[in-house]
Amino acid sequence: MVGFSVPGYQMQSGSPLDRPSLVRLMERNRQELTGDVSGPSMGATVDRYLSYQTPLWWVWPEAPTQGPDAVACLWLGQAMDPHNGQHHPYLLLLYVSPAHRRQGIATALLQVAHGWAKNRGYRQISLQVWMQNQPAQALYRKFGYQPEAILMKSYLGDGDSLGQSP
């Protein structure tokens, strides 16, 4: 497996026992991306996908810091390629807290994900990224990620009218 090497930081594998920390970090990520602080808990999503088969890694500064929360996280799930039916890793979460960005942490975590996948014989990794998250898109492009689909939504209102958005 490709090792994690970012001066001043250390990585550790996580487990389903880290559920509370993962929920907190996912809620912080949602708030940062959408500004929504009142949304529903991410607990149900974490409960649905977190298992011993979904690898999770945490990053902390090497020097002791205030608070128990990690400064970065990588969490992989599993998806199926609709073209060939093959399962492959799916990047559920790659998050680096704002104060620790631009240090190479996200790049190192993606290298870990790619190494983990290659060592298990996978030939691809997929992910979703917000259209407005240009820094993340630039990072993913550096790793060879390319758009393959368009996520489409229909908001279902009380009147059951098709095709109307809020």
Side-chain angles (χ1 to χ4, degrees):
M1 175 180 206
V2 175
F4 178 87
S5 179
V6 177
Y9 294 92
Q10 58 187 337
M11 183 183 76
Q12 178 181 340
S13 293
S15 79
L17 300 175
D18 295 326
R19 180 196 181 278
S21 296
L22 187 56
V23 169
R24 274 194 313 273
L25 193 137
M26 289 184 69
E27 288 175 344
R28 187 172 27 166
N29 183 46
R30 179 188 57 209
Q31 178 183 358
E32 190 178 310
L33 288 171
T34 68
D36 184 6
V37 295
S38 64
S41 168
M42 290 292 196
T45 298
V46 170
D47 290 343
R48 180 174 292 145
Y49 298 110
L50 183 61
S51 76
Y52 285 102
Q53 285 75 46
T54 59
L56 175 66
W57 294 275
W58 299 101
V59 175
W60 284 275
E62 285 178 351
T65 61
Q66 297 174 352
D69 289 338
V71 299
C73 180
L74 169 67
W75 182 26
L76 296 178
Q78 191 173 82
M80 184 189 71
D81 187 316
H83 301 292
N84 60 26
Q86 297 289 316
H87 286 91
H88 63 274
Y90 181 86
L91 201 149
L92 289 166
L93 178 67
L94 174 59
Y95 179 80
V96 178
S97 65
H100 297 273
R101 292 182 184 156
R102 315 285 305 156
Q103 307 292 318
I105 295 171
T107 296
L109 285 172
L110 275 176
Q111 289 169 337
V112 166
H114 284 214
W116 181 91
K118 285 179 183 177
N119 285 340
R120 283 157 182 76
Y122 293 109
R123 300 188 61 187
Q124 70 182 31
I125 294 178
S126 61
L127 58 83
Q128 287 186 49
V129 61
W130 291 103
M131 295 292 292
Q132 72 269 23
N133 194 343
Q134 295 299 315
Q137 289 182 44
L139 173 66
Y140 298 140
R141 279 193 296 274
K142 285 190 338 189
F143 274 81
Y145 288 83
Q146 301 172 29
E148 186 175 274
I150 296 172
L151 176 66
M152 298 176 72
K153 294 180 182 179
S154 176
Y155 292 92
L156 306 175
D158 296 334
D160 230 18
S161 4
L162 295 176
Q164 294 183 2
S165 60

